[in-house]
């Protein structure tokens, strides 16, 4: 089978780093700014950045409803940091006009780990990733306050949930695209491959 096409939502944020990490994980990686580009993708990454900005631009670019429809239909999707916020069914402290795509039954608290100058790195054990812990880069990172019954917690840091999966939707508070360790992107690429075969991983 040919390599899966994985889009990176390219409205704002660290798009380029995800494109590089996905290519390293043997996917065909493409920026997505228009509904037609979304339609051509087998899976999608929503990058880190600023979730309010990404949300507003998604509405402006006519992508919010197509995104919700694809996620509802089971398209594999991976959100990092601001992307995690975009995948939350509920945000604890939304800014005015801030909407989410949803897809994961979780409540997320924005900027929970503190401000930009309180950003940090920590080793994180992630369920489903074998070998050494993942180096978690946390930049004004959210955490997950609580998850519903259908969401699985994949990692915690300091007693807070920082990685979650529900079906084909994956979210991390931290940024594996910044470390050169592509295991999380490989996990996601494997999820996309499985979904193309009509299976779930
Ligand atoms: N705090 C940012 C937000 O609310 C997320 C930060 C990030 O993606 N690195 O969107």
């Amino acid at each position: 089978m040919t390599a899966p096409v994985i889009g990176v939502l390219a409205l704002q944020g660290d798009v380029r780093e995800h494109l590089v990490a996905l290519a390293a994980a043997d996917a065909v990686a493409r920026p997505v700014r228009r509904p037609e580009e979304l339609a051509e993708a087998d899976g999608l990454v929503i990058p880190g950045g600023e979730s309010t900005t990404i949300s507003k631009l998604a509405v402006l670019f006519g992508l919010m409803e197509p995104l919700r429809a694809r996620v509802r239909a089971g398209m594999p999707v991976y959100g990092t940091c601001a992307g995690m916020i975009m995948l939350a069914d509920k945000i604890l402290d939304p800014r005015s006009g801030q909407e989410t795509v949803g897809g994961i039954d979780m409540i997320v608290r924005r900027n929970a780990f503190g401000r930009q100058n309180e950003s940090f790195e920590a080793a994180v054990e992630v369920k489903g990733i074998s070998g050494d812990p993942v180096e978690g880069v946390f930049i004004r990172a959210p955490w997950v306050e609580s998850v519903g019954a259908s969401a699985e917690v994949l990692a915690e840091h300091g007693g807070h949930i920082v990685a979650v999966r529900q079906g084909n939707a994956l979210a991390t508070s931290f940024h594996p695209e910044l470390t050169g360790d592509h295991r999380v992107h490989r996990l996601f690429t494997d999820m996309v491959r499985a979904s193309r075969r009509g299976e779930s991983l």
Side-chain angles (χ1 to χ4, degrees):
M1 217 190 242
T2 53
V5 175
I6 303 187
V8 179
L9 189 64
L11 302 175
Q12 191 264 339
D14 69 336
V15 174
R16 181 183 302 265
E17 290 79 356
H18 277 291
L19 291 171
V20 170
L22 288 167
D26 300 322
V28 174
R30 293 189 187 152
V32 166
R33 288 187 195 86
R34 298 182 298 124
E36 302 75 43
E37 292 164 338
L38 177 64
E40 285 166 11
D42 300 311
L44 183 79
V45 168
I46 306 182
E50 213 294 307
S51 54
T52 316
T53 307
I54 295 175
S55 160
K56 288 184 175 163
L57 290 174
V59 172
L60 207 65
F61 279 62
L63 275 166
M64 192 58 101
E65 283 312 320
L67 281 168
R68 286 179 177 143
R70 285 296 303 274
V71 170
R72 254 198 315 270
M75 173 185 70
V77 61
Y78 172 34
T80 60
C81 202
M84 166 186 257
I85 297 169
M86 289 292 286
L87 292 179
D89 283 350
K90 190 167 188 294
I91 312 176
L92 206 59
D93 50 353
R95 303 245 304 258
S96 84
Q98 181 168 19
E99 297 180 34
T100 70
V101 173
I104 301 184
D105 183 6
M106 61 180 175
I107 301 175
V108 165
R109 182 186 290 272
R110 298 173 55 240
N111 303 332
F113 281 109
R115 295 208 286 241
Q116 193 86 20
N117 59 5
E118 290 161 304
S119 298
F120 61 96
E121 292 181 24
V124 182
E125 292 276 0
V126 182
K127 216 182 267 181
I129 306 275
S130 52
D132 291 338
V134 170
E135 185 187 345
V137 178
F138 294 82
I139 305 168
R140 282 212 302 145
W143 70 47
V144 178
E145 288 280 333
S146 61
V147 295
S150 39
E152 184 190 8
V153 173
L154 300 184
E156 295 189 18
H157 175 73
H160 301 290
I161 300 166
V162 295
V164 176
R165 177 167 176 188
Q166 180 174 326
N168 272 337
L170 177 70
T172 61
S173 301
F174 50 89
H175 294 268
E177 73 280 10
L178 299 180
T179 61
D181 173 355
H182 303 126
R183 286 176 296 165
V184 179
H185 287 80
R186 209 165 270 287
L187 167 71
F188 181 61
T189 304
D190 287 344
M191 283 167 58
V192 177
R193 284 179 200 281
S195 142
R196 280 210 312 179
R197 292 193 304 267
E199 299 162 8
S200 134
L201 192 74

